[in-house]
Amino acid sequence: MASVMTTHAKEWKPAQNTIMSRWAAGVTPENVWRDYPRPQMRRHNWLNLNGLWDYAITKKDAEIPAEWDGKILVPFPVESALSGVKKSVGGENALWYRRKVTIPEEWQGQRLILHFGAVDWRMTLWINGKQIGKHSGGCDAFSFDITDAVTAKLEADIVISVWDPTDDGYQPRGKQVNEPQGIWYTSVTGIWQTVWMEAVPQAHINSLKITPDVDNGKVRVEVETAGIDRESRIADKYFLHLAAISDNKTITRAAGNCFGDVLELEIPDAELWSPDNPFLYDLKVTLTRDDEPLDEVTSYFAMRKFHVKKDESGINRIYINGKPIFLFGTLDQGWWPGGLYTPPSDEAMRYDIEVLKELGMNCIRKHVKVEPLRYYYHCDRLGMIVWQDMPNGDKHISESDPDITRTAESETNFRAEWKAIVNMLYNNVSIAIWCPFNEGWGQFKTNEILEWTKQLDPTRLVDGPSGWTDRGGGDMYDMHNYPGPGMFPVEESRVSVLGEFGGLGLPLKGHLWWDKRNWGYRSFKTREELNDAYINLITKLPQLISKGLAAAIYTQTTDVEGEVNGLMTYDRKVLKLDADKVRPHHLKLYQNPPE
């Protein structure tokens, strides 16, 4: 297998691209995205399937190809340069993948689970010619049990078909369009996060749901298991054992049965998580039968609480752990010149968060995109609060229009994908806010969806919606103001936030996606002019904070394709701001009261 990969690797190279980040040059088929993809439920027995796969583009309803077009580097989308292909697919076609895998002999007798970090948008899986299942959803992680389709020789011939209509369909797509321009970007089709396989016992741990309870000094853990028949005579021999660990020392334990009981761990004198102190506890979960370990996963959690309440002046503020906090950061698109949706590496993805942290920001609004789970892990451990959007889809409305009316199919799909996203990210410590709608994009049944989101996760705030078409629901009254800043009046039950402002543009030659058609809300010619204008905006925020502004999100972290209003260029090679000059102005925003 290794020799075949080496031979194919010599044939692969990135497609020609206008610009690339510095990490793109280090990408190879042998080293692409090797990190364990699920930080909050880790096992030892796993196989990374990133690398070179066969690919083909056919008509939408074609059968499995007899011949293949060439090699594609997974997990980069087919439209990207780092895939080695850089071809558009279109809604009239299907994208196919194929790879043969030899499974380790020591996995014999265990269940074989094939995992996908994300595939955009609708996919079908075959193993050794047998159709295993389908999945719709471009943002959420999912998996298939492929045990029964694998041969006795432990060989798996994996074939995948993907169909994605981009902006010709109703599905959540974020900023992808078939014809990129302005604030709309290149389409993304197919696998764009890690593909991997793991071996698990017949009876195993399937998922964790972790809820900190700061007020009572506890953490609640719901463990879902698989492969255990609740009605069998031996079911009562299975038990779950939990251990909370701090600095490599077990501080508390709990145990219980495998059938839906919520286990509680007492956390005495809990150290609380915050952007200034991103303290994480380790968690170990073990499944036993007759006191013999069957399966074990490791995870982590933190003790923290986000909520809204009135301060001493009777103004609603955002609180963390009983203390008011002003959220300040950037609108973050999460796009890359070489990989589009897919960062070139874990290091590159982490870099964006580290730059914002160094600039003195404490929040990222992840804009109409969901990142790989490792992104949120880095936010958890670095202390970066996340304001998470739902990727938009279906039709858009203007500020004065009524909500759109979705078809039953479109609404069912929206609810399924949003619920999957919320459930997938529920355990991540850093997420403080869910945002189902932005600026009327795909907005329907507004207050019903906001309330439903709150039911899915009562532990976070719900922004409803961000900008434009407010209907009075949610926890936040959200203004978009370019260049701004500005705010809505403080309300009785909601906080006033500035979900987008700024957008100051500076095109830098040699770092542009397009030579022409570059766009910003306001454009400047030099870094000095940009820095002066930026500081002028930031110095206006303290007065608004004193009046009740609870959060402000600047547009944006980086340039993206034709947009040149980033703090960094699209290739991340230039930080346009002078960090030493702007950081003190950012830090003043967190003083109480602000200067």
Side-chain angles (χ1 to χ4, degrees):
M1 187 69 178
S3 61
V4 172
M5 174 64 79
T6 302
T7 300
H8 288 156
K10 293 177 181 178
E11 301 171 358
W12 174 87
K13 64 178 181 180
Q16 187 64 34
N17 218 42
T18 311
I19 54 174
M20 297 282 253
S21 71
R22 60 182 171 88
W23 298 276
V27 173
T28 70
E30 293 84 3
N31 71 7
V32 60
W33 278 96
R34 309 315 294 173
D35 304 278
Y36 191 83
R38 192 181 58 193
Q40 283 191 295
M41 199 170 127
R42 301 185 297 272
R43 286 190 178 93
H44 297 296
N45 291 333
W46 75 290
L47 187 64
N48 191 315
L49 300 183
N50 292 336
L52 291 175
W53 292 53
D54 297 322
Y55 88 94
I57 298 174
T58 70
K59 289 299 181 182
K60 177 183 173 182
D61 298 322
E63 299 294 323
I64 296 175
E67 297 181 358
W68 298 83
D69 296 346
K71 297 292 179 180
I72 184 171
L73 184 57
V74 170
F76 296 106
V78 68
E79 294 90 348
S80 72
L82 285 175
S83 72
V85 179
K86 200 179 178 182
K87 292 180 182 178
S88 295
V89 179
E92 70 278 8
N93 294 323
L95 172 64
W96 294 82
Y97 296 84
R98 182 187 184 188
R99 178 170 175 177
K100 294 183 178 180
V101 176
T102 301
I103 296 164
E105 289 187 11
E106 58 268 26
W107 289 10
Q108 184 82 44
Q110 300 188 76
R111 306 303 300 180
L112 305 177
I113 312 297
L114 180 60
H115 295 276
F116 296 87
V119 179
D120 195 5
W121 170 66
R122 179 174 290 162
M123 66 88 74
T124 305
L125 171 68
W126 292 262
I127 301 292
N128 295 326
K130 178 182 179 181
Q131 184 173 314
I132 301 299
K134 299 182 178 183
H135 179 266
S136 294
C139 307
D140 60 306
F142 59 97
S143 60
F144 297 97
D145 187 326
I146 64 170
T147 311
D148 297 337
V150 172
T151 68
K153 295 182 180 180
L154 291 182
E155 293 178 345
D157 185 358
I158 305 171
V159 174
I160 299 162
S161 71
V162 183
W163 175 69
D164 181 11
T166 310
D167 55 333
D168 289 331
Y170 57 73
Q171 82 290 350
R173 58 182 179 270
K175 288 201 168 185
Q176 302 176 52
V177 292
N178 289 310
E179 298 181 7
Q181 58 180 322
I183 66 169
W184 306 104
Y185 316 144
T186 303
S187 59
V188 170
T189 304
I191 297 169
W192 68 274
Q193 290 186 33
T194 293
V195 183
W196 56 293
M197 190 183 298
E198 68 178 342
V200 299
Q202 294 291 328
H204 58 273
I205 298 162
N206 199 45
S207 68
L208 307 176
K209 184 176 182 180
I210 306 169
T211 306
D213 181 354
V214 170
D215 294 338
N216 294 299
K218 299 177 181 179
V219 61
R220 297 183 176 89
V221 184
E222 299 174 55
V223 184
E224 180 186 273
T225 57
I228 304 173
D229 183 359
R230 185 170 187 169
E231 303 303 323
S232 70
R233 289 180 297 172
I234 61 173
D236 58 358
K237 297 184 178 181
Y238 292 92
F239 277 90
L240 290 164
H241 303 266
L242 277 61
I245 301 164
S246 176
D247 296 326
N248 295 318
K249 296 180 180 179
T250 299
I251 59 171
T252 187
R253 297 179 184 273
N257 68 40
C258 303
F259 304 113
D261 283 359
V262 178
L263 303 180
E264 292 188 346
L265 288 162
E266 302 279 350
I267 309 297
D269 302 317
E271 186 161 356
L272 302 181
W273 185 97
S274 71
D276 295 328
N277 181 46
F279 184 85
L280 301 176
Y281 290 90
D282 292 317
L283 176 67
K284 184 167 70 173
V285 182
T286 306
L287 172 65
T288 65
R289 179 184 170 188
D290 290 332
D291 297 326
E292 291 295 322
L294 292 178
D295 189 22
E296 183 173 281
V297 297
T298 55
S299 185
Y300 66 86
F301 67 93
M303 298 300 289
R304 63 94 185 92
K305 175 184 178 181
F306 296 112
H307 60 294
V308 171
K309 75 170 188 175
K310 289 180 170 58
D311 64 13
E312 295 177 352
S313 301
I315 296 173
N316 280 320
R317 304 279 186 184
I318 296 173
Y319 278 69
I320 182 171
N321 306 326
K323 297 179 180 179
I325 183 172
F326 182 74
L327 302 185
F328 177 69
T330 56
L331 195 74
D332 194 286
Q333 314 279 2
W335 284 68
W336 294 81
L340 303 178
Y341 253 25
T342 310
S345 67
D346 187 79
E347 178 189 1
M349 183 173 68
R350 187 175 71 242
Y351 176 80
D352 281 2
I353 306 168
E354 291 171 340
V355 167
L356 298 178
K357 191 77 176 177
E358 184 62 27
L359 288 172
M361 297 178 176
N362 67 1
C363 181
I364 290 172
R365 181 177 168 207
K366 180 51 63 177
H367 191 43
V368 294
K369 185 197 176 195
V370 179
E371 295 289 357
L373 289 173
R374 290 192 61 84
Y375 180 91
Y376 302 95
Y377 160 67
H378 292 309
C379 289
D380 292 348
R381 68 178 189 82
L382 293 172
M384 182 62 77
I385 290 173
V386 177
W387 178 334
Q388 180 63 54
D389 288 6
M390 169 63 165
N392 54 290
D394 214 307
K395 301 181 182 68
H396 294 176
I397 58 175
S398 64
E399 295 182 56
S400 58
D401 290 338
D403 287 4
I404 68 171
T405 300
R406 290 184 181 239
T407 65
E409 185 180 28
S410 176
E411 177 174 349
T412 298
N413 184 79
F414 175 94
R415 288 179 181 271
E417 291 201 41
W418 185 223
K419 182 178 180 180
I421 291 167
V422 171
N423 288 342
M424 179 180 73
L425 300 180
Y426 181 90
N427 293 341
N428 283 102
V429 177
S430 53
I431 295 178
I433 299 165
W434 299 118
C435 181
F437 301 120
N438 176 78
E439 292 188 349
W441 300 351
Q443 189 171 329
F444 77 107
K445 296 184 178 179
T446 304
N447 289 341
E448 180 181 330
I449 295 298
L450 299 180
E451 180 59 32
W452 175 62
T453 302
K454 196 75 171 180
Q455 292 170 5
L456 290 176
D457 182 4
T459 71
R460 270 110 174 176
L461 310 186
V462 176
D463 185 14
S466 187
W468 291 16
T469 45
D470 184 77
R471 308 296 191 211
D475 297 304
M476 304 162 73
Y477 192 12
D478 186 338
M479 174 183 281
H480 291 186
N481 191 334
Y482 287 100
M487 65 178 287
F488 289 121
V490 174
E491 293 190 333
E492 177 62 29
S493 61
R494 298 191 296 176
V495 293
S496 180
V497 301
L498 181 57
E500 294 182 27
F501 81 107
L504 305 181
L506 176 63
L508 292 178
K509 191 173 182 180
H511 304 278
L512 299 175
W513 184 255
W514 294 316
D515 287 335
K516 300 179 181 179
R517 294 195 292 163
N518 295 303
W519 184 87
Y521 289 94
R522 297 282 176 89
S523 290
F524 298 87
K525 295 181 179 180
T526 69
R527 293 177 69 183
E528 290 75 18
E529 290 178 351
L530 175 69
N531 276 264
D532 288 345
Y534 178 85
I535 291 172
N536 182 53
L537 289 184
I538 301 306
T539 55
K540 295 177 181 178
L541 287 173
Q543 184 178 7
L544 298 177
I545 296 170
S546 67
K547 295 179 179 179
L549 185 67
I553 300 296
Y554 180 85
T555 301
Q556 59 190 352
T557 304
T558 72
D559 296 347
V560 185
E561 299 199 355
E563 288 193 64
V564 294
N565 47 20
L567 302 183
M568 291 185 281
T569 54
Y570 194 18
D571 56 16
R572 276 72 167 177
K573 292 180 180 179
V574 179
L575 176 60
K576 300 177 189 180
L577 294 185
D578 185 326
D580 292 335
K581 287 184 178 180
V582 302
R583 180 179 168 85
H585 292 282
H586 295 163
L587 297 181
K588 287 180 181 179
L589 303 178
Y590 310 128
Q591 297 175 359
N592 190 21
E595 293 185 6

